[in-house]
Amino acid sequence: MSAVATFLLRRRGRGWHWTDVVTWIWLISGVILMFGPAIWLVFSSFKTPAALAEFPPSVLPYVTEQAVVPGYDKPLPLYNVTMPDGSTHVLAEVRRIGIMGQMVDPKQPGEIVKVNIKDRTPVREVEFATNNYTEPFQRFDFFLFLRNSVFVTVVATAITLLVNSMAAFALSKYQFPGRTAVMLMILATLMVPLSVIVVPLYSVIGSLNLFDSLWGVILPTVATPTGVFLLRQYMLTIPDELIDAARMDKASEWQIYWRIILPLSAPALAVLAIFSVVWRWNDFLWPLIVLSRKELYTLQVGLNVYAGELNVQWHYILAMTVVSMIPVVLIFVFLQRFITTGIAGSGLK
């Protein structure tokens, strides 16, 4: 820890130089911009609906303390009330009428005191509403949505890696007429957004009877131009002499691809796997078009269940959003060491 502190607190010269101050401001601002929304999301996922509706909003999940008062069926919220003589008392609110609150002393509930709401502040404590995470699994079909998303993401990523790596292998290690033209056509499809080809894809899925099927979500987009380009650029760095030596040892083309090319392309495959997982996991438009049965919804489509026409259950949406982030973060943590190697080896800037 001392070495880390020495590195972080080092300065130009003996005193603080203006560049040191600018650097610290720049770094702290960057950290806040990058991690501030994520921290707010995590803490807000533990808030009650009432806490989410508060203004101004708070970062921590505060709740108003309550007390059981004799003579009342439900616990009453507690407030610090400033009395006309300047003293402060903790009173419980019975009801609120306009800008006036009817308060009672929890120890002497016989007398009702009328207090202006501007003269009181709630007695609050930090409390994490863990039921925001448990109730969607118990009362709703969130586990089913999660299972569908895992199936779509895993299967689609596996097929994407297989198809794109085979195409990249052919375009990088085989000489045939029109190879450059084929590669240019693949790269040209990067210009075409999904919204433009939705109607043709819809017709293809309809003709194959893949509506209301998870395979209808998986198959139309397994071949990606980004994946073919990234893997091809990386495979170009693999020496052709290895392939020639394997052919001299009577290895088949499949054996060359499976035992030589794929293991050597592991960094680029890891990068493509990360991109594919993030894309499939967060995809909303195409599953929304293909799927109509609730039991087949993926996670992102299923989260829309909590948004009704007149009521949006933000506490459930925020909590399940945090849950949906966990697999992507874990994938990134396990594969992040391949990102720099894979991108640098593929020639991307």
Side-chain angles (χ1 to χ4, degrees):
M1 293 298 295
S2 60
V4 174
T6 302
F7 174 78
L8 293 176
L9 299 176
R10 62 182 181 175
R11 299 170 298 194
R12 288 185 58 181
R14 297 182 178 179
W16 283 93
H17 193 265
W18 68 270
T19 56
D20 298 328
V21 178
V22 172
T23 301
W24 272 102
I25 294 176
W26 178 262
L27 292 177
I28 293 174
S29 301
V31 170
I32 293 174
L33 289 176
M34 290 178 62
F35 297 102
I39 294 174
W40 179 89
L41 172 64
V42 173
F43 281 116
S44 296
S45 66
F46 290 99
K47 292 182 180 180
T48 62
L52 287 172
E54 287 183 350
F55 186 85
S58 60
V59 176
L60 296 177
Y62 288 105
V63 295
T64 302
E65 293 188 20
Q66 296 181 334
V68 177
V69 180
Y72 297 92
D73 298 332
K74 297 180 179 180
L76 302 180
L78 297 177
Y79 291 86
N80 289 316
V81 179
T82 302
M83 305 304 291
D85 58 359
S87 61
T88 302
H89 298 276
V90 177
L91 302 180
E93 182 186 67
V94 178
R95 65 181 60 87
R96 173 181 168 182
I97 303 176
I99 62 173
M100 301 300 294
Q102 296 182 356
M103 321 285 289
V104 296
D105 190 339
K107 299 179 181 179
Q108 298 177 355
E111 181 182 358
I112 293 181
V113 180
K114 294 183 178 180
V115 178
N116 194 305
I117 59 174
K118 69 178 183 180
D119 296 328
R120 68 178 192 182
T121 56
V123 178
R124 304 203 299 175
E125 63 179 354
V126 176
E127 182 177 327
F128 294 91
T130 56
N131 59 323
N132 293 347
Y133 287 86
T134 57
E135 288 187 3
F137 288 98
Q138 297 173 354
R139 296 171 48 193
F140 303 100
D141 297 324
F142 184 80
F143 185 78
L144 180 62
F145 303 152
L146 184 63
R147 186 181 63 183
N148 291 338
S149 283
V150 170
F151 176 79
V152 169
T153 302
V154 172
V155 174
T157 299
I159 299 177
T160 297
L161 294 178
L162 180 64
V163 172
N164 289 354
S165 61
M166 296 174 96
F169 175 54
L171 291 171
S172 61
K173 296 305 178 183
Y174 290 100
Q175 300 292 334
F176 57 89
R179 185 179 74 163
T180 303
V182 171
M183 191 63 203
L184 291 176
M185 290 178 60
I186 293 175
L187 292 178
T189 58
L190 287 170
M191 301 286 195
V192 183
L194 177 62
S195 57
V196 174
I197 60 174
V198 162
V199 175
L201 282 180
Y202 187 87
S203 301
V204 172
I205 293 300
S207 61
L208 296 177
N209 295 323
L210 290 178
F211 279 122
D212 273 341
S213 170
L214 294 179
W215 290 105
V217 179
I218 295 171
L219 294 179
T221 53
V222 292
T224 61
T226 304
V228 174
F229 174 72
L230 189 148
L231 293 177
R232 176 184 179 272
Q233 294 300 106
Y234 192 89
M235 290 179 184
L236 286 174
T237 64
I238 299 176
D240 294 336
E241 288 77 7
L242 292 176
I243 299 177
D244 295 336
R247 287 171 179 162
M248 292 179 64
D249 291 336
K250 301 185 183 303
S252 65
E253 298 302 311
W254 174 258
Q255 289 176 326
I256 294 173
Y257 162 75
W258 189 257
R259 296 185 178 182
I260 298 177
I261 298 299
L262 284 187
L264 294 177
S265 303
L269 290 172
V271 174
L272 180 58
I274 293 175
F275 291 162
S276 179
V277 167
V278 173
W279 175 32
R280 304 289 184 177
W281 191 261
N282 294 325
D283 193 14
F284 175 77
L285 178 60
W286 184 242
L288 181 65
I289 294 174
V290 175
L291 306 174
S292 60
R293 288 188 296 164
K294 185 177 179 181
E295 59 268 20
L296 294 175
Y297 282 174
T298 57
L299 186 60
Q300 305 304 327
V301 179
L303 284 176
N304 197 42
V305 174
Y306 303 122
E309 182 178 356
L310 300 176
N311 181 31
V312 180
Q313 296 172 304
W314 288 112
H315 54 303
Y316 291 147
I317 292 178
L318 293 176
M320 295 303 100
T321 300
V322 173
V323 174
S324 68
M325 291 168 53
I326 295 176
V328 178
V329 173
L330 293 178
I331 292 294
F332 179 81
V333 169
F334 284 112
L335 299 181
Q336 58 88 21
R337 64 190 182 94
F338 293 107
I339 292 179
T340 304
T341 305
I343 292 180
S346 62
L348 296 177
K349 301 295 183 181

